[in-house]
Amino acid sequence: MIFEEKQKSQPIEKRQVWKAFQKVKQNGGASGVDKLSIAEVSARARKYLYPIWNRMASGSYFPRPVREVEIPKADGRVRKLGIPTVLDRTAQMVIREELEAIVDKHFSASSFGYRPNKSAHQAIKQCRENCMKLDWAIDLDIKSFFDEIDHELMMKSLSQFTAKDHIHLYVKRWLEAPIQKKDGTVLKRSKGTPQGGVISPLLANIFLHFVFDKWIEKCHPEVKFERYADDIIIHCQNFKQALRTLEAVKARFKKCKLQIKDGKSNIVYCKRNQKKHPPFKVQYVTFDFLGFTFQPRMVKGYFGNFHLGFTPSISRKSQKRINQTLFKMKLHRMVHLRLPDLAAIIADKMKGWIHYYGKVRMSELHYVFRFLNKRLAKWVRNKYRRFRRKHWFFAYKWLMETAKQYPNLFVHWQYGFLP
């Protein structure tokens, strides 16, 4: 232990702060408004962590402003993230660990986001099973959810789980922490929680537990759903039921000071081998959920026969995002490196993409890896002078021969996506 314990008014122990910082260090992340990095805090832990414990244990801790960062989205808009300082993230982790042990056991089994022993793949699996059982799905999209959370309702939801004063004290201070813009101006916050804070996902789950999960299980027990943070899919038996449920959800969210995005929340027909199909033309037959597109596809049954099912695979948006990431890396310009060096640079990213998107219909990743192989062929043309004045196919053919000799050189080659 790096510092000695003293008696304080709030039940915060030194070991909680130290363990919390170890988790923050493991997660990584950028620095906040104080420009203090994780490496600097780790190098002088006594200097930086002792004051955090001392202030939290005495009730005198106040968070610094949250640094606003804009992340571009696929549709051209930007998502605003709030990055707390490393020390504030450590303080949030202390309360999050204590609060999560209290609330997680009460959450719905259909809530998968940011929970221990829950994953996006489990949500995808349950969504696929429900799509095969029920004919209609509602793709819900909440408008600026993290920015619109009402603080009064948030604290009221929190009080349903715990009455511990120190948890309420610090959660309220984090909710009200001001935002520092790019130009340095500091703005007060009257609603919302910064999307990027350690405790924000847990607070979102607590809020939506009462706003949506518990409400729909009580008032609409006939429907099924999956929720991953603010991404929600509701499954209904027929179109009329879907209409009624969607209107009820809109009214519920409006009552809780949230809005559904117009044009983004749709009723989708899960077309498959049903005996009866709707007597009208359906407008929506696909939806995206957690980076996967659910749509009608031919699937192989247990006895080898093919039938029409409603299954997921990597979405077109995810494919484009991966290709844009590879394009920005400018691999074809790294002519000073060898081919194994290129493989090492992209290995971690490829493993992550394959592990996530390859769980379902890995063959759909062919489009992504074909683009990558073409980038590598372009690197070959730039690297070796003998290919520069020839057609690009000769460089691609050289890459094909290399892949046959060294099929384990690149991660995607190991899975059979050879040039």
Side-chain angles (χ1 to χ4, degrees), residues 255-377:
K255 184 179 179 181
C256 298
K257 301 181 180 180
L258 293 176
Q259 290 184 356
I260 300 295
K261 277 186 181 178
D262 295 332
K264 291 292 186 72
S265 298
N266 306 315
I267 298 177
V268 181
Y269 177 51
C270 304
K271 184 179 181 180
R272 55 191 195 280
N273 272 11
Q274 298 101 324
K275 293 182 179 179
K276 294 183 179 180
H277 293 284
F280 54 90
K281 185 178 180 181
V282 180
Q283 185 176 3
Y284 300 102
V285 292
T286 68
F287 65 84
D288 287 358
F289 183 51
L290 301 179
F292 292 84
T293 294
F294 285 75
Q295 67 181 41
R297 307 174 197 274
M298 295 304 297
V299 295
K300 193 174 183 179
Y302 291 108
F303 303 103
N305 58 323
F306 287 86
H307 63 277
L308 187 65
F310 198 84
T311 58
S313 72
I314 181 174
S315 67
R316 181 63 66 180
K317 289 182 180 179
S318 299
Q319 290 178 346
K320 289 182 178 179
R321 180 178 55 81
I322 293 174
N323 287 342
Q324 287 174 358
T325 301
L326 293 172
F327 179 78
K328 291 178 180 178
M329 293 179 71
K330 304 296 183 184
L331 296 175
H332 64 285
R333 294 183 180 177
M334 299 181 182
V335 293
H336 59 289
L337 300 177
R338 299 178 300 115
L339 203 58
D341 298 328
L342 293 182
I345 289 174
I346 63 174
D348 290 340
K349 290 183 181 293
M350 300 305 296
K351 288 177 182 177
W353 291 330
I354 292 175
H355 175 74
Y356 184 75
Y357 295 108
K359 288 286 186 180
V360 184
R361 297 182 73 94
M362 185 180 288
S363 59
E364 296 293 330
L365 288 170
H366 176 74
Y367 172 77
V368 174
F369 297 133
R370 184 177 60 181
F371 175 84
L372 175 57
N373 287 331
K374 287 184 177 180
R375 304 302 299 176
L376 295 177

Side-chain angles (χ1 to χ4, degrees), residues 7 21 133 287 290 303 358 390 400 409:
Q7 190 66 32
F21 173 69
K133 294 177 183 177
F287 65 84
L290 301 179
F303 303 103
K390 294 183 180 180
M400 292 170 60
L409 183 58

Side-chain angles (χ1 to χ4, degrees), residues 142-145 147-153 191 207 211 250-259:
I142 306 176
K143 183 178 180 180
S144 304
F145 169 69
D147 296 331
E148 297 294 330
I149 293 179
D150 184 77
H151 289 177
E152 184 178 350
L153 292 177
K191 60 181 178 179
F207 190 73
V211 171
K250 286 182 178 180
R252 172 64 176 176
F253 280 5
K254 186 177 181 180
K255 184 179 179 181
C256 298
K257 301 181 180 180
L258 293 176
Q259 290 184 356

Side-chain angles (χ1 to χ4, degrees), residues 112-175:
F112 297 91
Y114 307 104
R115 296 182 57 191
N117 302 319
K118 293 280 188 177
S119 68
H121 290 143
Q122 292 175 339
I124 293 294
K125 181 181 178 182
Q126 180 173 307
C127 186
R128 179 181 182 179
E129 293 173 353
N130 287 331
C131 285
M132 297 300 289
K133 294 177 183 177
L134 301 173
D135 294 349
W136 297 86
I138 304 173
D139 179 16
L140 280 184
D141 196 341
I142 306 176
K143 183 178 180 180
S144 304
F145 169 69
F146 283 90
D147 296 331
E148 297 294 330
I149 293 179
D150 184 77
H151 289 177
E152 184 178 350
L153 292 177
M154 180 69 252
M155 297 306 297
K156 185 177 179 181
S157 300
L158 181 63
S159 63
Q160 298 295 316
F161 285 116
T162 180
K164 292 184 177 181
D165 293 336
H166 67 287
I167 293 180
H168 282 257
L169 174 68
Y170 294 129
V171 167
K172 186 176 181 180
R173 289 180 182 176
W174 286 320
L175 290 175

